[in-house]
Amino acid sequence: MIVIGLTGGIGSGKSTVSDRFVERDAILIDADLIVREMQVPGQEVHADMVAHFGDVIVNADQSLDRQAIAQIVFNDKDALHELNRLVHPPVNREIRRRIRQQADTNNLLVLDIPLLVEGIIAGGPPRYIVSGIVVVDTPPETAVKRLVAQRGFTEDDARARIAAQVPRQKRLEVADFVIDNSVALERLDKQIDQANEWARALPSTKPTPEPDDS
């Protein structure tokens, strides 16, 4: 088993890159998808979030109102810290569980974590649970255009979201392999072929135990 971390700023086109890895027989572990799975009504993370933030963050069907949550935490560092405290530990446990399931295989696992670099800077686990890190890089102006055209952001909102993330240079500093996603798809696919070949030649990744087992 080889695990690589995949990350990139908002609007970088990281999902396009992860899809291309899956087309090349990699197994995708999508942190955002795991978060959403654990935030559906009836799940522990959902209950903890509602208990902390109140009914203002839920819709009539009890699903989370993500816009309401964003409005609460976007400019409030304490609220964002509390949200991360509720969400990150169970999500990290689930990510590690899924990695351990593949421990005895020869598979390439792509661990898609949008905030991977932030985790490394904060001293979190991503660096030692992967054999290499791939950063999807896109110029900020390209990212702004994508967010406006494809996700309905206003230009001001797009720029604010980009500015709130770790600087582009910080991502590049931790990268073992950089994919330029400001190019045509044909050139992108060539880069992903190269990244796939590079990743499969990396040392195998040792899975980490449950925190209680450490």
Side-chain angles (χ1 to χ4, degrees), residues 20 24 184-194:
R20 294 297 199 276
R24 290 158 176 79
L185 285 178
E186 180 180 350
R187 291 179 60 192
L188 176 64
D189 276 329
K190 288 180 180 178
Q191 293 181 77
I192 296 174
D193 283 336
Q194 294 169 347

Side-chain angles (χ1 to χ4, degrees), residues 38 42 99 106 121 140-141 159 175:
M38 300 182 79
I99 290 174
N106 294 319
I121 292 172
E141 289 303 314
R159 293 186 186 281

Side-chain angles (χ1 to χ4, degrees), residues 21-22 25-29 102 105 107-111 200:
F21 270 107
V22 171
D25 297 323
I27 294 175
L28 177 64
I29 299 178
Q102 300 291 327
T105 74
N107 292 328
L108 172 64
L109 277 62
V110 176
L111 179 53
R200 292 180 184 276

Side-chain angles (χ1 to χ4, degrees), residues 90-106:
V91 170
N92 287 339
R93 286 194 294 271
E94 178 62 15
I95 287 172
R96 295 185 190 201
R97 185 189 70 80
R98 295 190 188 192
I99 290 174
R100 287 196 299 274
Q101 287 181 326
Q102 300 291 327
D104 296 327
T105 74
N106 294 319

Side-chain angles (χ1 to χ4, degrees), residues 39-88:
Q39 288 179 334
V40 298
Q43 295 296 315
E44 180 182 356
V45 172
H46 178 281
D48 288 345
M49 288 177 62
V50 175
H52 182 80
F53 293 105
D55 290 339
V56 68
I57 68 166
V58 295
N59 297 306
D61 63 358
Q62 295 303 303
S63 64
L64 292 179
D65 182 339
R66 300 188 183 280
Q67 184 61 37
I69 297 168
Q71 290 175 349
I72 291 171
V73 305
F74 188 66
N75 291 310
D76 186 333
K77 290 184 178 180
D78 290 338
L80 179 60
H81 175 78
E82 286 303 306
L83 177 63
N84 291 339
R85 182 183 64 82
L86 296 172
V87 174
H88 287 178

